[in-house]
Amino acid sequence: MKIQFLFTLLFLIFLRSNLNAAEKDTLFLNQVLTDANSNLVLEKIIKFDSSTSAELMQRFENWGGQNFRNYESVKTSKTETQITLSYITSSFQVIDMYIILIAEFKDNKLRLKFFDDGNVFKPGSYQGGTTIPAIQGRTYKIKSYFENEMIIYKPNPGFFNIKEKQASGAIAYRESIEKKLLEIENYIKNHMSGNDKSDW
């Protein structure tokens, strides 16, 4: 009787562990990119009260100067109504990625658009007797890691669970851009005329 109970218990433990191992989750591309065709990750129009386009642009430039070590090297173009930045994010975890941020200015409003501009160059390496080739810059975009616009993965992190790394990296990538957008919005709103309380 005890042996039968023991076999039943072992069978239930085995069955449960197999069911847990078989559990999968799915990340869809539209949860990360707003428009996969143009590689648009996120876009938002932010409205302000009585602010000229020049004032909004100046505050955006101030934010850039405070948040990038060398803002002038990140800024790729500037016109009377638009500033374009190209910066690197490590949030994807699998590989560093370029982001293009386009800021467009009109009186009383600002539009921010974030685009995936592909991976950063990664030099080759040699590990454990295996040569890992270099990856040329802008070879892969976030959508390159999705099959049929989805990543199906086991949610448990693990060294060999590549799909989980891709999915969690894509989620972190999107969240980092949402955070950057909120950071810009809050900075500009908090540095509007009369809101800056510094008295130096």
Side-chain angles (χ1 to χ4, degrees):
M1 191 71 168
K2 289 182 181 179
I3 294 174
Q4 186 179 6
F5 174 75
L6 184 60
F7 278 123
T8 304
L9 184 61
L10 288 172
F11 176 75
L12 290 174
I13 291 170
F14 174 76
L15 184 63
R16 181 173 172 82
S17 65
N18 278 346
L19 286 173
N20 287 341
E23 287 179 14
K24 293 194 176 180
D25 208 342
T26 303
L27 178 68
F28 295 96
L29 184 58
N30 64 8
Q31 292 175 267
V32 180
L33 298 183
T34 298
D35 179 26
N37 291 327
S38 65
N39 297 300
L40 176 66
V41 182
L42 194 59
E43 175 180 4
K44 184 175 181 182
I45 296 171
I46 307 165
K47 296 184 179 178
F48 302 89
D49 293 328
S50 60
S51 300
T52 66
S53 61
E55 288 172 329
L56 293 173
M57 181 178 279
Q58 184 58 55
R59 285 175 178 85
F60 179 85
E61 295 257 63
N62 291 346
W63 167 83
Q66 288 186 22
N67 286 275
F68 292 101
R69 184 174 295 165
N70 187 348
Y71 175 61
E72 290 304 315
S73 69
V74 172
K75 183 168 59 175
T76 57
S77 72
K78 180 180 178 182
T79 67
E80 290 182 4
T81 59
Q82 178 178 299
I83 294 174
T84 302
L85 308 181
S86 177
Y87 68 92
I88 295 171
T89 178
S90 299
S91 60
F92 184 45
Q93 302 165 19
V94 177
I95 194 168
D96 291 348
M97 303 294 287
Y98 288 110
I99 299 288
I100 292 177
L101 166 55
I102 298 174
E104 298 171 305
F105 305 90
K106 289 187 177 181
D107 289 347
N108 303 318
K109 59 185 173 180
L110 159 66
R111 178 163 68 174
L112 298 173
K113 296 191 291 186
F114 294 81
F115 293 89
D116 173 12
D117 194 32
N119 66 285
V120 174
F121 170 77
K122 187 172 184 177
S125 61
Y126 186 78
Q127 292 180 347
T130 304
T131 300
I132 301 170
I135 301 174
Q136 296 305 311
R138 295 180 171 88
T139 303
Y140 300 103
K141 296 193 184 306
I142 292 294
K143 66 184 178 186
S144 306
Y145 297 93
F146 288 74
E147 295 176 23
N148 298 320
E149 299 191 356
M150 64 181 80
I151 298 175
I152 300 172
Y153 64 99
K154 294 178 183 176
N156 301 332
F159 184 75
F160 295 106
N161 191 352
I162 303 300
K163 292 292 184 186
E164 187 279 332
K165 291 184 188 320
Q166 293 170 346
S168 62
I171 292 167
Y173 171 86
R174 169 72 184 216
E175 288 174 348
S176 75
I177 291 174
E178 290 171 349
K179 183 179 176 184
K180 185 76 72 182
L181 189 151
L182 189 60
E183 177 187 305
I184 296 167
E185 181 177 2
N186 287 338
Y187 180 91
I188 293 175
K189 285 182 176 176
N190 290 331
H191 289 81
M192 300 303 289
S193 298
N195 288 351
D196 195 349
K197 304 295 183 191
S198 61
D199 184 21
W200 56 276

